[in-house]
Each structure stands twice: as C-alpha cells, then as structure tokens.
Amino acid sequence: MTTPPRLPAVRAAATGFIAVIAALGMGHLVAGLLLLPSASPFFAVGNAFIDRTPTSVKNFAVENFGTNDKPALLIGMAVVLALVGMGIGLTSRRSAVPGMIAVVIVGIVGALAVHEQSTGSSSLLAPAASLVAGVGTFLGLHRLAQPRVTTVEPGADQPPVGSLGRRRFVLGSVVAALGALVAGAGGFALARRVDVTASRRGIGELIPTTPAPPIPPGAAFPELGTPPFITPAADFYRIDINLEVPQLRAEDATLRITGMVDTPIELTFDDIRSMPLVEKTITMTCVSNEVGGPYVSTANFIGVPLLDLLDRAGVQGDAQQLVGHSADGFTLGTPLDLLRATGRDAMLAIGMNREALLPEHGFPMRTVVPGLYGYVSATKWVNELELATYDVKPYWVERGWDGQPPGVVPIKISSRIDSPSSFQQVPGGEITVAGTAWAQGRGISRVEVRFDKEDWRPAELATEVNPYTWRMFRLTTTLAPGQHTVTCRAYDGANVMQVQDRLRLINPGPVPDGSTGWQSIVFTVA
C-alpha cells in the first residue's frame, strides 16, 4: 500500500491561503449581486468583531487610527485570514481532510456573522457560495499540490492519481487567485450599481423656506489656523460602525414613525422634501473626541423639525425616548425630554450646506439633535423613528453606555489650540495663538490663555453665531526665544469653567461621558 506523499510546506500554505481568498471573493460577489453588502462574510465578520469589541479597545483604535480605524481593522482582518489560511494548509500536508473541516468551520463562522448582521434568508446565499468556493478551491489545489511520485511500492502499477507536478499547481493557483480577485472586485462594483450620485444630483440645490442667519464676518480665523466656520461636507468628521457605507437612493427612501404614537405614519423622501424646510447652523461633536481632538465640525443642516413630524403622529404620554432605526440595522435612542428642550432646532435633515447629504453622512436622511453627543442624537440613513420607553435598548445602551437621563450629559465645555501646532517652531516677534471652543446649548462666554506659568490672559473671541455652534478665539503676544507651553480653557454662557482634570486619569477613555481637561502644547520661538 502506498504511503500518501506529504505536500511541500510552501504548496500546502499556498493552498490554504488561496482557498480562503477564493471563499471571500465569491462571498463578496454574491453579496454584491444581492445588493446586500452586509451579507459579505468578510464585512459581516468585521461588523461582528466591532459589535463585540470592548469600549477601551474602540477608544484605543479611534485615538491611534482616527477615521482610519476601519481600514486598519480591514487590513488586520486580511492579515489574520491570510495566516489562518496558511495554517489550514500546513495542517493538511498529509491529508486534505483536516483542511476541509477547517474551511467548513470558517465558513460556518462567516454564515453566523451574516445571519446576525443581515435580515432575510437571501443574505445567507453569500456565505453559502463562499463555503462552496472555499471547499472546492481547497480540494482542487490540494490535489494539484501532490508531488510527482518517483518511486512506486511493489505491486503498484502506476503513481497515485493526483501527482500532477509543480507547474500545474502553479498554474492552478494563479487561476484560482485571479478568479478570487476578480470576484471580489466584481462584488464591490455590483454593490455600487445603485447610482447614489445620480440620486443626489437629481435633488439639486436645497433652498430652505426658513434660512439660517448668514455667518457674520469675523466668526472664524482661518487665516490664523482655525478651521473655517462652516465645515465643507467632505471634511465633516465621520464616526460610525460601518465598514461599508450604505448605498441608498432618495427615490426609494421612506420614513416610518411608529411605536407609542396615536397614528403611525409613513413618509417618502419627496413628502419630506415638499414640506417647509428650515436651515440650522449646528456644531456636532463625537463623545469619543479626546482633548484637543478633531471630531467636531459645523454645518448648515437643512430639513424638517423633528417635533413637527412627531406632532403629526401624536406622541403618547408614556413615551420616553425616540429610537432612530438605520437602514444598516443600527439603532439610537434620544431622550424625549432632551429632544423637546431643543425645540425646533432638532431636525430630520436631508441636506448639509445647501446640498443633499453625502452617503457617508447619512444620505438620504438623518437626525440631528443639537447639544447632545452623536451617540444619542444622530441616526444616519434613518428609515424609522420609534417612540418607546427605556425598555427598548438601542445599540450603544446594549453595550453598556448610558442612554437615559440623568446619565446622558450635554456636550461638555471644550477648547483646543489650533495654532501653533505641537512642537512647531515659529518666527520671533509677535506670535498669535488661535483656537476653537464649544459648549453646545450654552455657548462660550470667554476663553483664557496661559503661557508657561504666567497669569491667565483673556483671549479675543470671534463673533458668536448661536449657542449651538463653536466659537473661535485668538491672542497675540511677544515671547522670548526658546521653548514655551501654552494652555487654554473656556467658560460657557453661564460662566462655568471648563473642567481641568483629564477624564482619562480616572476613566479608561471619554466614552460615554465626553473627555475633559485643559489642552496644553509645547512650541518653540526662534
């Protein structure tokens, strides 16, 4: 009886690796055909990983990778899957059975992740196709990888079937790998065959019935290093849980208002577009923004007051929160008391800066409730608003964040130094420190700046636009050559001072309370 030949290590590792990428490519292709990006096993596993990631790890990712946290996760997943694939191949040098079992297990994990992330039985077609492609590719390449037999045991008439040589294995591997890459690229292209660009273009410029007051001169100091007062939509910060941005058309969009209401209603995008539109200048901040961080932006949002829509449905007296449901399955709860306190400033927004929302910012529709951190105020890609009690647990509440008063806090008083930057060398003579402060809902009444250990000095404030927006500041002085430390602190409209202590000293990150602390930077005067 012939002893089964042992696969060379390189061929075995390549067999497992290519089988894994073939499985992922096929799964992504079928997900694209179904227009269900979340059905791709690769994205589904990534989203499942995000769901289960401890808050401290998420904070670390945001702090170290910023808005590149999702690409970093995808690259990390790709590396892990490559190692898993090679490991599968190396365990199968003598027999294909261990590897085949391992590929099936990996496929089942992908299917479970898809089932958790997607709705409808059709979404399981993608992981099923992925599993078939993975097993088929593994078995085919394992057979081609068998080394040519040069000796035959007595009584054997010919070498074992499957000893087809190195060249056929290389050719088969190249074909399988190229097929996987083409399938994956095809999946990306198919997922984007919904023409969101044309849908946005068809909306045209959004002209509000009630426009926001014009931004007054002197509201920002971009020539000194602060951001412009209105953030271009493409530069507006983005923080969400999505590895793939939902691709939705306005023509297909509807909004349902359900739950504890007198009359459930359903509105199309055109219904909302035809209503009197209001425009509000609002600064938004992410709860995971660190001291001096970039996750704060301002836009002119255009839409319909949320309270007007809720009045149409008739909110029942026992309702406690407004739960926004996103097309991607995400849910977010806004306490009704806090929503009502903002009056007509809380919006169902369909535009930013007189244009339709960008897909990454919630096109076709999103909610914006000023004065609250995004995790309780901003549902992107919203398709349902549910009135409910606190027994309904939205996404972040299920993960341990507090989404109920009194735990939900207004955005904390914050300030940062935009110029000079840390460790920058500036020319001698007069220097100007410029920065940004915010305390949405209360406004900023003053900002103070301190150099080294000197006394605090009052900074010049930019013109205030409204209490829900940021406010720039600047201070010009002369400093001796050498290294200096500059610190800033702000006061809100009630003259409450920004908290000095860093939250991270007593907590593993700013979530879900928001960061605190005065920012200091070191720079050098030439």
Side-chain angles (χ1 to χ4, degrees):
M1 182 176 179
T2 303
T3 301
R6 197 176 185 209
L7 268 61
V10 173
R11 294 191 204 179
T15 295
F17 171 71
I18 295 171
V20 168
I21 65 171
L24 295 176
M26 182 59 69
H28 208 67
L29 176 63
V30 175
L33 286 168
L34 296 172
L35 285 176
L36 292 172
S38 61
S40 167
F42 186 62
F43 284 144
V45 170
N47 287 325
F49 176 82
I50 290 174
D51 286 350
R52 290 165 173 78
T53 300
T55 297
S56 58
V57 177
K58 290 180 181 178
N59 292 349
F60 174 84
V62 172
E63 181 178 349
N64 289 274
F65 297 105
T67 53
N68 294 316
D69 57 338
K70 296 175 182 65
L73 171 61
L74 293 176
I75 292 171
M77 286 176 54
V79 171
V80 170
L81 287 170
L83 294 174
V84 168
M86 289 188 285
I88 288 173
L90 290 172
T91 61
S92 306
R93 295 180 67 185
R94 186 70 68 185
S95 168
V97 174
M100 185 175 64
I101 293 173
V103 170
V104 170
I105 292 173
V106 172
I108 292 173
V109 170
L112 291 173
V114 169
H115 177 70
E116 178 183 74
Q117 299 291 324
S118 304
T119 57
S121 57
S122 61
S123 63
L124 294 177
L125 292 174
S130 178
L131 179 58
V132 170
V135 171
T137 301
F138 180 81
L139 291 176
L141 290 180
H142 194 277
R143 180 172 178 266
L144 290 175
Q146 296 290 335
R148 184 179 298 278
V149 174
T150 56
T151 59
V152 181
E153 292 186 6
D157 297 328
Q158 58 184 8
V161 176
S163 302
L164 303 179
R166 182 177 62 84
R167 291 184 180 180
R168 290 190 179 183
F169 172 75
V170 171
L171 178 61
S173 298
V174 170
V175 170
L178 287 176
L181 294 175
V182 169
F188 276 107
L190 288 169
R192 286 167 172 76
R193 70 183 185 271
V194 174
D195 198 343
V196 177
T197 301
S199 182
R200 289 186 69 247
R201 188 167 52 244
I203 292 171
E205 186 179 11
L206 292 169
I207 306 298
T209 306
T210 306
I215 305 301
F221 309 124
E223 71 280 3
L224 299 178
T226 72
F229 193 85
I230 296 296
T231 309
D235 297 334
F236 206 96
Y237 79 89
R238 175 200 165 198
I239 297 290
D240 54 54
I241 64 170
N242 294 85
L243 293 176
E244 183 80 351
V245 175
Q247 302 293 304
L248 308 172
R249 300 194 315 159
E251 300 91 310
D252 306 323
T254 59
L255 175 73
R256 296 182 299 124
I257 301 179
T258 64
M260 301 174 70
V261 295
D262 298 331
T263 307
I265 60 176
E266 183 171 308
L267 302 166
T268 66
F269 182 88
D270 287 340
D271 291 333
I272 295 164
R273 172 75 187 273
S274 65
M275 296 178 184
L277 299 178
V278 300
E279 182 179 46
K280 302 289 183 178
T281 307
I282 296 171
T283 296
M284 298 186 65
T285 310
C286 181
V287 73
S288 60
N289 195 38
E290 291 285 2
V291 173
Y295 303 132
V296 53
S297 303
T298 301
N300 282 323
F301 288 96
I302 295 176
V304 179
L306 277 172
L307 290 181
D308 289 359
L309 296 176
L310 300 185
D311 287 344
R312 285 191 176 204
V315 179
Q316 295 177 3
D318 293 337
Q320 296 173 306
Q321 64 174 332
L322 180 67
V323 180
H325 294 258
S326 172
D328 63 355
F330 178 80
T331 55
L332 179 154
T334 305
L336 269 179
D337 289 347
L338 299 181
L339 189 155
R340 287 177 173 134
T342 65
R344 291 172 57 83
D345 290 318
M347 305 173 66
L348 174 74
I350 62 172
M352 293 171 65
N353 304 337
R354 301 290 175 99
E355 295 182 351
L357 298 168
L358 291 173
E360 58 265 34
H361 293 304
F363 181 77
M365 297 180 281
R366 65 171 298 165
T367 60
V368 177
V369 181
L372 297 176
Y373 290 113
Y375 82 100
V376 286
S377 69
T379 309
K380 294 187 281 190
W381 313 290
V382 64
N383 57 18
E384 181 183 355
L385 296 174
E386 176 190 5
L387 280 301
T389 66
Y390 288 130
D391 291 334
V392 175
K393 304 297 183 185
Y395 180 91
W396 287 118
V397 175
E398 283 187 333
R399 286 152 181 81
W401 293 22
D402 195 345
Q404 306 172 15
V408 175
V409 296
I411 294 173
K412 294 183 176 179
I413 308 167
S414 299
S415 61
R416 74 177 184 210
I417 298 166
D418 295 316
S419 178
S421 58
S422 293
F423 305 111
Q424 180 181 353
Q425 180 171 316
V426 300
E430 286 192 339
I431 68 154
T432 298
V433 174
T436 309
W438 57 92
Q440 292 94 309
R442 291 102 70 208
I444 294 294
S445 62
R446 61 188 169 119
V447 174
E448 295 176 329
V449 175
R450 180 176 66 189
F451 295 96
D452 303 317
K453 295 184 179 181
E454 297 177 0
D455 293 336
W456 290 95
R457 309 185 196 181
E460 176 191 350
L461 291 178
T463 304
E464 184 180 50
V465 173
N466 70 57
Y468 285 117
T469 61
W470 54 17
R471 198 168 185 185
M472 314 306 184
F473 64 90
R474 64 184 176 186
L475 187 147
T476 301
T477 190
T478 301
L479 296 174
Q483 183 173 284
H484 295 277
T485 300
V486 60
T487 306
C488 64
R489 67 185 184 190
Y491 296 75
D492 70 7
N495 207 36
V496 176
M497 186 178 69
Q498 177 181 348
V499 175
Q500 177 180 3
D501 295 333
R502 292 272 180 143
L503 182 63
R504 290 186 67 85
L505 297 176
I506 56 175
N507 223 29
V511 181
D513 296 320
S515 61
T516 62
W518 299 344
Q519 186 191 19
S520 295
I521 67 163
V522 176
F523 67 101
T524 303
V525 176

